[in-house]
Each structure stands twice: as C-alpha cells, then as structure tokens.
Amino acid sequence: MPTHSCVVRKVDNVASMISYTLKPVGFIRSTVKGREDAPRQGPEGAPDAWLEIEPRFAEAMLGMEVGHELIVITWLHKANRDVLKGHPRNDPNRPITGVFYTRSPARPNPLGLHPVMVRAIDGTRLKVGPIEAFDGTPVVDIKSASTRADG
Amino acid sequence: MPTHSCVVRKVDNVASMISYTLKPVGFIRSTVKGREDAPRQGPEGAPDAWLEIEPRFAEAMLGMEVGHELIVITWLHKANRDVLKGHPRNDPNRPITGVFYTRSPARPNPLGLHPVMVRAIDGTRLKVGPIEAFDGTPVVDIKSASTRADG
C-alpha cells in the first residue's frame, strides 16, 4: 500500500501543519473562581455548577433529563500547553510522568473530562455536578456517559 | 457583580467569535478503513489499533505501561459538525435526541472518547484497544483513565 506508508512517513510534517478549530458551545458558571477555591481532594469534593449553553445549540440538548450521567468536555483555557511531563498532583514524591499518563490540566491540547450528573435543567442552562472547573471555563462538548447511547 | 452579569449577557456574541486551536498529537493506524469495516456492536466489538504519536511529544508518554487504562480523545474529522439531533444509532424506533445526550460522532465539536487498554509500546507507537475509530483519525489527547492520576 504505497499511499498508506507514504502517509506514515510524512506524519511528522503533516501533524505540525494541521489544526482543527474548536468552538465553545457554552461556558461554566461556578463558585470556583480560581486555584484558591479549587477542591483539594480532586473531583470528588467539587461543587455543582451551571453550564450555560449557547442558545443556538439548544436542540443538541433535546431529551436531556435530570439524573442522567454526562461527560462534559471543557477547554482548560488557563492551562500551560508547553508542559509534557511533571510530578502527578505536583507531589515531588511521585515520579516524573508524561502528561498523557496523568490527568494534569497542562498538556498540548488542554481538554478537560468531567463525568457529572444532571441536577437541574432551566432552558439552555444545565446544572451539573460535581465538577472541578473554574468559572468561565469554555465547554466544547457534552456526551451521554453511557456508550449504549451511541448515535 | 456587574462584570459577571455583563459577561453572562454577552455570552452569545463572545462564543460565536472565540475559537481554540487543536493540534493533532498523533494519528490512529487501524484495520478499520471506513464505515463498512466498523464494528456493528459498538466499542465492545472493536479491534486494537496503533496510535502513532508525533516524536516531539515522546516525553508526554513517560512512564506509560502495558496494561494501563487510558482515555484517548480523537478528532472525528469525517463527522458532520452541523447535526444537533437525530435518532440514536440511526434507529428510527428511538426518539429524536440532542447530540449532547448521545455518543453520536456528528456534533458541533466532533471529539471522540475512547476508553482503552495499553497492549504494547514501541517507541512513540502505542498499541491500544479495543478502539472504534477509522484509520487516519487524528489523536488530540491521551489521559490516564484513573482520576487518581490527577497532575
């Protein structure tokens, strides 16, 4: 397969030229305004927050129900994109680890994954939790947590 | 809080102007070349595949071990970004549902989430599975599946 092996050889050049455009579908409104408010215990201790979905995406919420489990994907706009490795949880006792093997927000494409439950629905505002994300964090996607909901 | 409520009122205008740039960190090499090869049973029946990570991100894989569970995030470059609702799994017997409540690839930002296990590591090539993604699909992030790996 000459075409295929050609693509493989070029992967490096191609990858540094290609990019994709992510648009926010909404924003998080949370009492967590910054690092000083962030829960120390990880996502378990996080508060609920509102997702304010852009009205033009209202139809994408059709059928949404309180009590359903979702995965919210955020763009961690405050994260450093140049970090490739570090001590997990900034704990110097833990060995230096690549970011692809951790959940650190600092990574080449700072996407955040948040498994949450729907607490309330008010038009295009969705109360979910618990969620560890700063107020103002862009939401880029929302999915059913169940893979049986494959569309 | 005048600043805050101002931001809330402007959310619609701001969101349609803002965008973020996602760069591929690698590509999937799979025997699944297109829809005709895709497993019918969802992710459960999917094959293993290689993730070819760009050499410049090699350090982000530091500490990676066979047997570890990861979440691979892909950019579903073939997906239709204009779809907001549809029948889950294209089954007309299932009610029309918003894409934020399904796992459909068609959605405003076509991000794919793939929980996988590391099968083999060969330099910057990572064999993982099972994974339901077409050959050539861009990989945009990789995370530990464990939230205890928070960085």
Side-chain angles (χ1 to χ4, degrees), chain A residues 15-74:
Chain A
S16 52
M17 291 182 312
I18 299 175
S19 68
Y20 315 106
T21 303
L22 214 48
K23 294 257 180 192
V25 300
F27 293 90
I28 286 176
R29 296 295 152 209
S30 174
T31 53
V32 181
K33 305 295 180 192
R35 225 168 289 273
E36 64 284 4
D37 304 321
R40 307 279 151 156
Q41 306 305 319
E44 306 79 26
D48 291 349
W50 286 95
L51 309 186
E52 295 191 346
I53 304 303
E54 261 201 283
R56 66 186 171 116
F57 296 117
E59 285 200 313
M61 295 169 64
L62 210 66
M64 193 75 80
E65 282 172 9
V66 170
H68 195 82
E69 290 180 357
L70 300 176
I71 297 172
V72 175
I73 310 183
T74 57

Side-chain angles (χ1 to χ4, degrees), chain A residues 81-86 88 96-111, chain B residues 23-27 51-65 68-73 116 118 121 123-126 128 139-146 149 151:
Chain A
R81 301 183 67 168
D82 299 323
V83 175
L84 294 183
K85 59 184 180 179
I96 295 271
T97 306
V99 294
F100 291 163
Y101 204 46
T102 75
R103 300 280 287 206
S104 165
R107 52 185 58 245
N109 292 306
L111 294 165
Chain B
K23 293 258 181 192
V25 300
F27 293 90
L51 309 186
E52 295 192 347
I53 303 303
E54 261 202 284
R56 66 187 171 116
F57 296 117
E59 285 199 314
M61 295 169 63
L62 210 66
M64 193 75 79
E65 281 171 11
H68 195 82
E69 289 180 359
L70 301 176
I71 297 172
V72 175
I73 310 183
V116 297
V118 180
I121 303 169
T124 53
R125 297 171 75 234
L126 209 55
V128 300
V139 175
V140 294
D141 199 10
I142 303 172
K143 293 179 192 296
S144 170
S146 164

Side-chain angles (χ1 to χ4, degrees), chain B residues 62-108:
Chain B
L62 210 66
M64 193 75 79
E65 281 171 11
V66 171
H68 195 82
E69 289 180 359
L70 301 176
I71 297 172
V72 175
I73 310 183
T74 55
W75 182 256
L76 304 167
H77 61 314
K78 304 277 192 195
N80 184 341
R81 301 183 67 168
D82 299 323
V83 175
L84 294 182
K85 59 184 180 181
H87 295 288
R89 288 186 189 255
N90 290 322
D91 175 355
N93 296 317
R94 297 178 69 171
I96 294 271
T97 306
V99 294
F100 291 163
Y101 204 46
T102 76
R103 300 280 286 206
S104 166
R107 51 185 57 245

